[in-house]
Amino acid sequence: MPLPILVTGGAGYIGSHTCVALIEAGHVPLVLDNLCNSSVESLARVQRITGVRPLWVEGDIRDAALLQRVLAEHRPQAVIHFAGLKAVGESVREPLAYYDNNVGGTTILLQAMQEAGLRNLIFSSSATVYGNPASVPISEDFPRSATNPYGRSKLMIEDILGDLVGADPRWRVARLRYFNPVGAHASGLIGEDPRGIPNNLMPYITQVAVGRLPELQVFGGDWPTPDGTGVRDFIHVMDLAEGHVAALAHLLGEPGMFTVNLGTGQGCSVLQMVQAFERNSGRRVPYRIVPRRAGDIAACWADASAAHRLLHWQARRDLDTICADAWRWQQANPQGLR
Ligand SMILES: NC(=O)c1ccc[n+]([C@@H]2O[C@H](COP(=O)([O-])OP(=O)(O)OC[C@H]3O[C@@H](n4cnc5c(N)ncnc54)[C@H](O)[C@@H]3O)[C@@H](O)[C@H]2O)c1
């Protein structure tokens, strides 16, 4: 059996889909998750999809002794580090929780890896590190900034990783900047399962369509965009998951650090997404335009050419597939997995 890939946060939305992609590529995922924002049922679902149950440890990345034991026992060949908190609004209210979990947790993970002689890491960064970009599409050399503690935690971790590679060139690090992951596995068995009112557009749309929420709130109809609503780069979560498999192959082949955007390279407005969803679900999604949210930006999409060049990867699934898959997941799991 090949040495496993440690997947922190692997029971979560992107992590569970990445477990599917890893298994399909012949890897053995070993999930470490404290279930603060997920359910272990997602791993049972990964097994239903692939026939393989990921190795599983319930625990926290801030638990140094546990990490030491897991690394010694399983000798993983690399770590894909998804574990973290991700709600922007919550990070403004509870900054310490975000710095503790995201920055503190990552430092403890990196220390444990260093002690175990394991220096291969893929980190979940975000397009949020570009702040309010001067233009679109956004390439990796754009200036970085943060407007909230969540974004700042990602900036800090990117810098910590840069310092680490600078100090010890044996580290191999991928900093992957995700744009807007949406959709679900085509089986409808795993998908995005937020707690409370969703922060992200797609689960909001699907919860309105399934009758859990009365209407979609669209934040701002007066942005300088073709239809006045915000424009984002929505990437199918399975494309994103496959991007990790490509990044892993590159990482294991070449030492050093690389930073790439994972997006489609195309912008789609909120209203275009609503229309695509209605077309693919046959459901109406009533919406109301409300004032802009503080900290939001008009338009954000990736220059996706570096990932294509370096990783030989690009997003393949279109907007119709995204909507059909998200709807299949929501219909089969109207209350999510919890
Ligand atoms: N979903 C997005 O829109 C998006 C965009 C850009 C970047 N990201 C980043 O990608 C990563 C995964 O995001 P996601 O959407 O799958 O989120 P998610 O909340 O579904 O998954 C994160 C997982 O990490 C676990 N976790 C959190 N803190 C932990 C800790 N201290 N120890 C162990 N497990 C812990 C949670 O239980 C959850 O299962 C996060 O780092 C997030 O910041 C997400």
Side-chain angles (χ1 to χ4, degrees):
M1 194 165 84
L3 292 174
I5 308 296
L6 178 61
V7 185
T8 75
Y13 174 44
I14 307 171
S16 56
H17 290 79
T18 300
C19 285
V20 170
L22 285 169
I23 291 168
E24 283 170 352
H27 293 290
V28 177
L30 159 62
V31 171
L32 174 74
D33 199 302
N34 68 1
L35 302 180
C36 72
N37 196 37
S38 55
S39 154
V40 73
E41 173 63 17
S42 65
L43 300 182
R45 301 289 182 92
V46 169
Q47 181 174 15
R48 277 174 64 187
I49 294 168
T50 62
V52 177
R53 174 134 193 153
L55 302 170
W56 156 242
V57 178
E58 182 170 349
D60 197 296
I61 54 164
R62 292 165 294 181
D63 183 342
L66 172 73
L67 285 176
Q68 215 174 23
R69 185 168 63 69
V70 168
L71 296 182
E73 192 178 318
H74 295 277
R75 297 252 141 239
Q77 52 175 321
V79 178
I80 305 183
H81 177 33
F82 293 109
L85 303 176
K86 64 167 183 177
V88 170
E90 185 184 64
S91 82
V92 174
R93 292 190 301 276
E94 297 176 43
L96 290 180
Y98 275 67
Y99 292 124
D100 175 44
N101 202 11
N102 295 5
V103 182
T106 301
T107 314
I108 292 168
L109 172 67
L110 293 172
Q111 266 160 352
M113 288 176 66
Q114 180 153 276
E115 279 160 25
L118 169 61
R119 297 183 192 81
N120 304 327
L121 178 89
I122 294 179
F123 171 61
S124 301
S125 190
S126 165
T128 191
V129 301
Y130 297 116
N132 191 352
S135 61
V136 275
I138 304 170
S139 59
E140 288 82 358
D141 57 359
F142 271 36
R144 301 175 314 152
S145 66
T147 52
N148 56 69
Y150 167 69
R152 202 161 290 115
S153 76
K154 294 290 179 193
L155 275 184
M156 287 176 173
I157 297 167
E158 283 202 352
D159 289 342
I160 290 169
L161 294 172
D163 289 342
L164 197 56
V165 175
D168 182 348
R170 288 175 299 175
W171 277 90
R172 294 160 191 247
V173 172
R175 303 187 301 191
L176 306 183
R177 295 180 179 152
Y178 312 155
F179 279 67
N180 294 73
V182 285
H185 188 265
S187 62
L189 286 168
I190 52 174
E192 191 168 6
D193 184 17
R195 288 192 178 174
I197 305 272
N199 290 307
N200 293 339
L201 176 64
M202 187 52 107
Y204 211 127
I205 289 179
T206 58
Q207 289 191 16
V208 170
V210 86
R212 263 172 80 177
L213 294 170
E215 65 178 6
L216 171 71
Q217 296 196 340
V218 177
F219 298 105
D222 56 353
W223 293 103
T225 59
D227 65 20
T229 64
V231 170
R232 296 290 179 271
D233 184 336
F234 296 103
I235 175 171
H236 194 294
V237 65
M238 281 310 298
D239 281 329
L240 188 66
E242 288 161 10
H244 288 74
V245 176
L248 183 64
H250 187 73
L251 184 92
L252 295 175
E254 243 177 70
M257 181 169 81
F258 64 93
T259 305
V260 292
N261 290 336
L262 294 184
T264 65
Q266 295 193 353
C268 165
S269 77
V270 172
L271 289 188
Q272 281 174 326
M273 183 59 104
V274 170
Q275 283 154 10
F277 184 83
E278 290 185 336
R279 198 167 61 234
N280 283 281
S281 66
R283 293 284 174 109
R284 301 274 313 138
V285 179
Y287 69 86
R288 191 159 49 94
I289 308 264
V290 298
R292 297 177 181 186
R293 258 186 325 198
D296 274 354
I297 58 178
C300 170
W301 71 86
D303 175 341
S305 60
H308 191 206
R309 216 173 37 247
L310 209 64
L311 310 181
H312 312 293
W313 166 92
Q314 59 186 339
R316 298 186 287 124
R317 296 162 177 90
D318 63 11
L319 207 54
D320 289 333
T321 308
I322 285 173
C323 292
D325 290 345
W327 182 229
R328 194 175 302 110
W329 150 253
Q330 184 72 74
Q331 274 188 302
N333 306 274
Q335 301 301 323
L337 293 180
R338 287 171 281 198

